[in-house]
Amino acid sequence: MGGRGGWWRGKSTPAKVETYTRWSFHTFPFIEVATFALPAFGYVPAPVNWILFLLVSTHAAVAAVTASLTLDWTRGRRPLPVRLLWALGTATVVIAVVSLAVALHGPRGADNGAAAGTVFVGVLSFGIGTLALAVRGTRRMVYGVLGAAVGAGAVAVPAGVSAPGAAVAAGAVVLAAGFFTFTSAFSVWLLNAVYELDEARETRARLAVAEERLRFGRDLHDVMGRNLAVVALKSELAVQLARRGRPEAVEQMVEVQRIARETQREVREVVRGYREADLRTELAGAQGVLTAAGIDCEVSGPVTGLPAEIQSALGWVVREATTNVLRHGDAARCAVSLRVAEGRVTLTVENDGAPGIGSGSGTDTAEPGRGSGLAGLRERLREVDGVLRAGPAGSDLFRLTAEVPLPPDSVPEQAPAPEPGGSPRPVPHPVSEVTS
């Protein structure tokens, strides 16, 4: 998907929020120049108007670079640009004082003083708001705004501004600088919150995999621990009987052999149950976890009556597709449909967060054997003579389709799909992380 839409859709949700935040701060310099520098050409005669314009433009450019580098610092990608912050602070003070001097001692006109005074307040406000990006702690931000307001009043009075005028300037700095400081603080908080939520979602998926591995370990421990203890006891008894020349030793070893074979059978059942996926459970789990992630998920079609091996293969498809919709796409809607017609069962998963499955780390890369991603799914479907197709289905849709032929004597019941209020699993197990 090329073009601007593809560039935007290819980003994750945190990356989109970060891009929006950065471009918001990149518009601030244009707002500063348009609001405080350009009006000077209509009220202040040359060359003073050009001086104010160049000073404000320089301040806006330094503020833009500082904001960009400081946002990188908030994300831990670079050190705090201390020198640039000092340069911005110094430029803010110098330009504010120069604009105040122009307002008081520059060329006189109808609105000369008002225009230069507006530059004084605007430069201080934008400067303090940008510097707030490097401040952690609400109290320090409040102190910064109040300090700028007090400093503005303290500079204005000795420069010849009346006490009421200095109070008005200080109040204007409090309001404007407070607004830009709040904007900066809220933007950083929102950006960090989005990244933390995304990391929490990844952690939840990893915890689900860990829980499944623990369950598998407990099952193996229950089977192997009990039976091996019996094998050890009977083997010890057989040794004692054999040393005494008792014929019962043979019976004990026969029993050990039987227990070993029984243990082998039980281990196979545990592993088979671990590898197989129940289609109804996977559909309910997919609907539950996608809904919890804010994705509108609709499941339709018959579920019951399908052969166990087909349900298992399709269950793995649902599990992998759901995992990839969560991890690699930015979907708002996902539809899962199951259709039985002409002796074939077709499972279709569509989402509007293209590229969805098949992107990122969930692509067609798989190790030999039962792998992960599309290659692993194709291998599982191949065992039941099924096929898998995946790819874009329009400008913003990604469609995954799995088709499996039904045995001649298999006629599934037309039962409804799992209800949204069922008991979904906490999260589907990512195929890419569960060892088969």
Side-chain angles (χ1 to χ4, degrees), residues 255-273:
E255 183 66 13
V256 168
Q257 186 181 39
R258 186 194 66 79
I259 295 174
R261 289 175 177 173
E262 181 69 16
T263 302
Q264 190 178 30
R265 183 188 62 80
E266 292 180 358
V267 169
R268 286 199 202 99
E269 291 180 354
V270 170
V271 175
R272 187 181 301 112

Side-chain angles (χ1 to χ4, degrees), residues 118-132:
T118 302
V119 172
F120 173 74
V121 174
V123 167
L124 279 178
S125 302
F126 274 95
I128 295 300
T130 304
L131 292 173

